[in-house]
Amino acid sequence: MVQASDGRALCAPAAERNREAIWGVLAPLLPAAGMVLEIASGTGQHIADFAGRCPTLTWQPSDHDPTALASIRAWRTRAKVANLAEPVRLDVTEQPWPVGPVQVVLCINLLHIAPVAVVGHLFSGAAPCLEPGAPLVAYGPFLRADRPTAPSNLAFDASLRATDPAWGLRHLDDVTASAEAAGFTRPDVHDMPANNLVLVFRRSRGLP
């Protein structure tokens, strides 16, 4: 990540590269009105861009890191769109979450740079915020039992674990099991550029 010229807005080159592909999957899932909650908004680039594309929804950024929250505020100032809310501090492990109800939960590039327990916390925290049938959309690199893992993803996984042994790419089957345990359906899986996936879970009718 690099710091932008305003001194507080951080810029992740990956966010610039992947936002169009993510939007292509996300846009058809969006309701006509309501709120989209982004978990771990990071720099704030994605949600600032998406809010400008869809003014009929309120876009709620969140993060637990003060540096990220400052960057999100800076991108919000740049975006100048009324439907992009002030970011809230949200740690997925601290439940219930300080927001809701919402119509969509969005999570981009979180699960591989967090301890594995965060996977379960993401779904258990999101479930009470969503109505039955509402989507939780997760983007990132995942390991899949039904096909070989790309060498670039294996190298990325090794670099993550070298940085922090608690980090690493998550197996899709394990993520799905955590989702189902929290009351979500099995995901629709969308292949994305650079060996990433978009996973679209739906909150099922009953919570565990």
Side-chain angles (χ1 to χ4, degrees):
M1 262 187 298
V2 296
Q3 199 163 26
S5 58
D6 64 9
R8 301 190 79 183
L10 300 175
C11 181
E16 297 299 312
R17 293 193 300 268
N18 63 34
R19 63 182 181 177
E20 292 294 338
I22 295 172
W23 180 253
V25 177
L26 178 63
L29 303 173
L30 297 175
M35 178 178 289
V36 179
L37 167 65
E38 185 181 26
I39 301 298
S41 297
T43 63
Q45 288 164 266
H46 284 118
I47 199 164
D49 179 66
F50 297 163
R53 296 174 190 244
C54 188
T56 63
L57 292 172
T58 298
W59 295 77
Q60 177 62 68
S62 72
D63 210 287
H64 78 286
D65 181 73
T67 300
L69 292 170
S71 181
I72 296 163
R73 292 187 187 99
W75 280 104
R76 180 172 181 259
T77 298
R78 286 182 171 197
K80 295 182 174 65
V81 289
N83 61 318
L84 180 55
E86 175 74 12
V88 296
R89 183 194 175 279
L90 190 153
D91 183 328
V92 296
T93 68
E94 298 173 359
Q95 298 178 14
W97 292 351
V99 292
V102 301
Q103 282 60 57
V104 181
V105 171
L106 175 63
C107 179
I108 298 173
N109 283 332
L110 167 65
L111 298 181
H112 57 286
I113 53 171
V116 69
V118 167
V119 177
H121 288 303
L122 172 66
F123 292 106
S124 63
C129 298
L130 292 167
E131 292 295 323
L136 184 155
V137 182
Y139 168 89
F142 297 91
L143 303 174
R144 303 177 73 175
D146 61 346
R147 65 186 64 186
T149 302
S152 60
N153 272 2
L154 291 175
F156 184 39
D157 181 59
S159 69
L160 289 169
R161 295 179 188 278
T163 301
D164 188 326
W167 294 2
L169 273 62
R170 308 303 173 201
H171 287 268
L172 178 56
D173 288 346
D174 294 338
V175 175
T176 299
S178 293
E180 291 180 319
F184 285 85
T185 62
R186 297 182 66 83
D188 293 329
V189 179
H190 300 262
D191 290 299
M192 303 294 281
N195 301 306
N196 290 295
L197 300 175
V198 167
L199 310 177
V200 181
F201 300 89
R202 297 274 180 179
R203 220 213 80 184
S204 56
R205 290 289 166 183
L207 291 176

